Amino acid sequence: MRMTENARRGPPPEDFSAALGERLDNAPADERVYRVALELTDPTRVSDIAARAECSKNAARRHLNRLADIGVLTKVTENPATFERNESYFAWRRKNRLMELSEREYKRRLGELLSEDEGYRETYGVDSPDNLDPLEYHDYGDSEQVWLDISNWEAIRTEIRALRQAKHDTSPGEGLV
């Protein structure tokens, strides 16, 4: 049976939250806690996590402690127990995924990013997003669009650095690409 294009792409954006909620409703408690834990950018109480994961506080605490033991989370306080994402763990995971890229995939991705970087440099006539003031670039769209471009450009440059660093770490003795 051939999958339609819409089926491959998943639900339309307006249905995404409902579809995610449905998948989490059917997931075991440890999976629901893990999904909530991925979003913890601020110290969050066990009771709040349990409510979001729709499980008991004891189940949430057990799964959160396990996630803290393996480094996914950091236990910020003991009483009340609060947890947040361990950003260094996610940086490490990301670096490992980048290091596993084939040479071909690495070159393709780096080429795309460098092309996008060059496009922004040409569009705005500056070498870096740090040199942009969105209020002075009204000829390129409204200031909100320029802010978005600055954010995207910074993200592209961060990705270029991450790719180059991952490549450097896997090729001892070679300079950065």
Side-chain angles (χ1 to χ4, degrees):
M1 185 162 102
R2 188 180 152 113
M3 202 184 304
T4 67
E5 186 63 29
N6 284 340
R8 275 196 299 270
R9 280 186 293 196
E14 64 272 7
D15 295 338
F16 182 73
S17 295
L20 179 62
E22 185 178 310
R23 284 196 310 270
L24 285 179
D25 286 344
N26 297 325
D30 63 335
E31 178 68 18
R32 294 192 313 267
V33 170
Y34 177 73
R35 298 283 177 126
V36 171
L38 293 177
E39 301 172 359
L40 300 179
T41 56
D42 295 315
T44 307
R45 290 176 167 215
V46 171
S47 59
D48 294 334
I49 297 166
R52 287 171 57 190
E54 297 181 356
C55 67
S56 72
K57 286 192 280 188
N58 286 337
R61 183 176 289 106
R62 182 176 65 251
H63 299 306
L64 291 165
N65 283 325
R66 181 182 54 82
L67 291 170
D69 288 345
I70 63 174
V72 174
L73 296 176
T74 300
K75 191 172 199 176
V76 180
T77 61
E78 289 289 332
N79 193 10
T82 60
F83 294 84
E84 69 182 351
R85 280 172 49 117
N86 178 359
E87 294 302 332
S88 61
Y89 170 81
F90 289 95
W92 170 80
R93 274 189 55 187
R94 183 169 183 268
K95 183 177 178 181
N96 280 345
R97 281 195 302 271
L98 292 174
M99 289 172 67
E100 292 172 358
L101 291 176
S102 68
E103 187 68 20
R104 181 177 176 194
E105 181 63 19
Y106 166 79
K107 287 180 179 180
R108 184 195 64 76
R109 183 69 183 134
L110 184 60
E112 288 173 355
L113 292 167
L114 289 171
S115 177
E116 290 181 62
D117 181 67
E118 179 64 27
Y120 281 119
R121 282 191 275 155
E122 288 175 4
T123 298
Y124 291 105
V126 294
D127 289 331
S128 166
D130 297 334
N131 299 334
L132 277 176
D133 179 352
L135 301 177
E136 293 179 12
Y137 283 84
H138 53 80
D139 291 343
Y140 299 97
D142 62 18
S143 59
E144 185 175 329
Q145 182 57 53
V146 178
W147 275 112
L148 289 172
D149 286 351
I150 289 171
S151 293
N152 289 336
W153 195 1
E154 289 171 342
I156 287 166
R157 292 184 141 217
T158 298
E159 183 77 5
I160 289 169
R161 282 190 299 276
L163 274 168
R164 287 179 167 168
Q165 184 62 48
K167 181 64 174 173
H168 176 71
D169 287 352
T170 59
S171 304
E174 290 184 17
L176 292 179
V177 177

